[in-house]
Amino acid sequence: MLRGWRGTFARVRQEFERRPTLDDSLHIEPLEVPFEPFALPTSEQPLVSVIIPVHGKVAYTLACLRSIVRHTPNVPFEVIVVDDASPDDTAERLGQISGLRLLRNEHNLGFVGSCNAGANAARGESLLFLNNDTQVTHNWLDGLLGCFGDRDDCGIAGGRLVYPDGRLQEAGGLVFADGSCWNVGRFEQRDAPAWRSRREVNYVSGASLMIRRAVFEHVGGFDIRYAPAYYEDTDLAFAVRELGLKVYYEPSSTVIHCEGISAGTDLHAGMKRHQVTNQATFSAKWEKALSIQPPVGTSVMHALNWRRRGRILVVDSMTPEPTRDSGSLRLSAILRLLDEQGWAVSFLPDDGRATDEEIRTLGALGVEVLCRPWVSDLPHWLRAHGHELRAVMLCRHTVAGQYMSLVRKLAPKARLLFDTVDLHFLRERRAAELSGSATMARQAQASRKSELALIEQCDVTFVVSPHEQALLAAELPHAKVELLSNIHEVHGCLRPFQGRKDLVFIGGFGHPPNVDAIRWIASDILPALRTRLPDITVHVIGDIPDMARSELSTPGLELHGRVPDLAPWLAGALASLAPLRFGAGVKGKINMAMSHGVPVIATATAVEGMQLRPGIDVLVAENAVSFADAVVRLSSDEALWSTMSRYGLDNVDRHFSPQAASATLRRVLD
């Protein structure tokens, strides 16, 4: 993908490819329909003001407004249409639409003047400029607003623009050192991985552009030097960037744009002729800023990452889903931190699968998801892109064992990181000791040999606990082993001791130590508990297969499956149980409970390496009776409960915060 003649040739070829006029998957409002008045569900106290400048073409304006009715935002909004002295019956038709604020220019002011007039009349905290030849889709406004909510440094956000035939029109814009611009992704498949992630761009099109009203007013609105139109959106983006804010492309907001309807396509006639003259105006105004932009001829992908630290690839066995397991929660946090530190982040699931929701979730973190059908497998992708990588992180020994030598060969400039997630051989060894199985013991020894070999081959190894770091220091004293533990936000304790009851266990059957723990709760711990506290209930939060539910059926045990949010369960829980009899690594179930101020009762194996003090930060129990004793003690001692709640929160903050993980990543990758 080049900015030069090759890129231009590719666009010309794609422009003339045969394709359907409309994409059936996009609901496009028809233009040729008899006019009937309708109402917009707007608010007198809007959060967002949608500003639509128009000059004739009333059929397109009406279709745009009907699409807004079809896809009403979830926040209060208003719609301001600025009629720029239209030569047709625009004003008469729009005057019959209730809920619409219609402004009329006495003289034609052009796009720039009309947008500024609409902004002056706006009541919302945010402004969303929208062309009249657009049609909106689900999440068009809320997606842009979400970008501002997620990114404190967001100054402007713009959505994904697509043609009526479904192809991508623009995924943000680039500006080169001569002031020329490039619409990223034009004519590409709109759902390809490269265009599904939020990222910083140089500018976004004024066809769909959101900015906070205070910022717009601070920079003086659209610069009237670009009247009547062209380069005003690029200039606004540079003015916002000069304030230290950023411009983001937001893929969760999709807008259909009939490009050329408003202004035509001929650079030498009509409105379009101003594109040439305004480039010179823009280049003169922003000469200093343009000096650090990519030179003309820079490849598009290189230009997109011009200010990034480099490209990093992360590979795990499957796409992380934070409600599924603690490993997913940790990996999602790592991916977010890498983006915040300035890396262009790509993630590849080894099983090739990622749902639309998973792609959207990681896309909001700034992560490009490389999955089927766009990417067949890692070897093929590495052959094409390995030379671009500055770092590769392989997660779990099963993934690292497959690809470590291939990464060395096809990504020779990349720093190779091995994320153990937990030491597999340590968990297998403990399972073998618990079961007394010689076969499992042999498997643990084989895993130990392969894991240690991988650690010797990579540049840096990540472990999640000081215990595992010390173990590897003894086994491989020359290996570089860094602590990158679980990562949790501190949510705080939302409810005091009074009124709390029952217990929770966080975890499902996808992890062998959890399977053993849930069975132990059902067979021994809960019966012992209910002899002392007959009404106590243990709520198991996690995936449980149907075939196991009948086996686990016991009074007081409730199996809820996976839930979208743990907070409501933890807000009313007396304590969280972690009766793990084998395993390795740091236990996310303990961190999660403590991050909500919920005390934990656990085995010594469960709290290993978590820097917790038994009897102070956590209660430790090793058999069913001692678990029952601990629950009874906690239920009758408010002072103990409050102390453990406070100390648990402090432990998460000190050892498992995003700040601690960020420091490790920065140290390793700088």
Side-chain angles (χ1 to χ4, degrees), residues 275 306 366 380 535:
Q275 187 170 334
W306 190 251
H380 281 88
D535 296 328

Side-chain angles (χ1 to χ4, degrees), residues 313 445 523:
L313 172 68
Q445 186 59 25
S523 64

Side-chain angles (χ1 to χ4, degrees), residues 246-320:
K246 294 180 179 179
V247 179
Y248 283 101
Y249 160 66
E250 177 52 59
S252 71
S253 170
T254 298
V255 171
I256 305 159
H257 185 207
C258 303
E259 184 186 47
I261 295 300
S262 303
T265 57
D266 187 348
L267 288 174
H268 303 289
M271 286 281 289
K272 207 62 170 163
R273 74 185 187 278
H274 297 287
Q275 187 170 334
V276 176
T277 56
N278 283 355
Q279 179 179 338
T281 302
F282 174 79
S283 297
K285 178 179 178 180
W286 296 103
E287 181 181 4
K288 183 177 179 181
L290 288 171
S291 67
I292 58 174
Q293 289 296 111
V296 174
T298 303
S299 72
V300 170
M301 295 313 295
H302 188 197
L304 277 173
N305 298 323
W306 190 251
R307 288 189 173 85
R308 307 299 277 177
R309 294 176 61 191
R311 192 172 189 184
I312 183 170
L313 172 68
V314 179
V315 186
D316 200 355
S317 56
M318 63 181 69
T319 303

Side-chain angles (χ1 to χ4, degrees), residues 37-44 50 52 61-73 77-81 94 96-102 136 140:
F38 57 92
L40 287 164
T42 52
S43 170
E44 292 296 316
V50 180
I52 306 175
T61 304
L62 291 170
C64 176
L65 295 174
R66 288 198 301 269
S67 74
I68 292 175
V69 174
R70 176 179 288 273
H71 302 288
T72 303
F77 72 105
E78 67 175 349
V79 177
I80 301 171
V81 171
L94 298 185
Q96 300 177 60
I97 298 174
S98 61
L100 174 68
R101 295 182 63 195
L102 179 62
V136 303
W140 63 285

Side-chain angles (χ1 to χ4, degrees), residues 55 129 164 173 207 212 273 301 385 421 499 506 520 532 559 601:
H55 179 71
F129 296 98
R212 295 199 190 281
R273 74 185 187 278
M301 295 313 295
H385 301 282
V421 182
I506 305 168
W520 191 25
R532 311 275 295 280
L559 309 176
I601 304 169

Side-chain angles (χ1 to χ4, degrees), residues 2 17 156 159 202 261 282 403 471 505 514:
L2 301 178
E17 285 180 349
I156 289 175
N202 296 152
I261 295 300
F282 174 79
Y403 300 121
L471 186 154
F505 175 86
N514 287 342

Side-chain angles (χ1 to χ4, degrees), residues 352-369:
R353 296 196 295 266
T355 66
D356 273 349
E357 181 58 32
E358 288 168 343
I359 293 172
R360 279 194 295 270
T361 299
L362 290 183
L365 302 180
V367 179
E368 174 189 18
V369 180

Side-chain angles (χ1 to χ4, degrees), residues 342-355:
W343 289 90
V345 186
S346 297
F347 172 79
L348 188 144
D350 190 39
D351 66 2
R353 296 196 295 266
T355 66

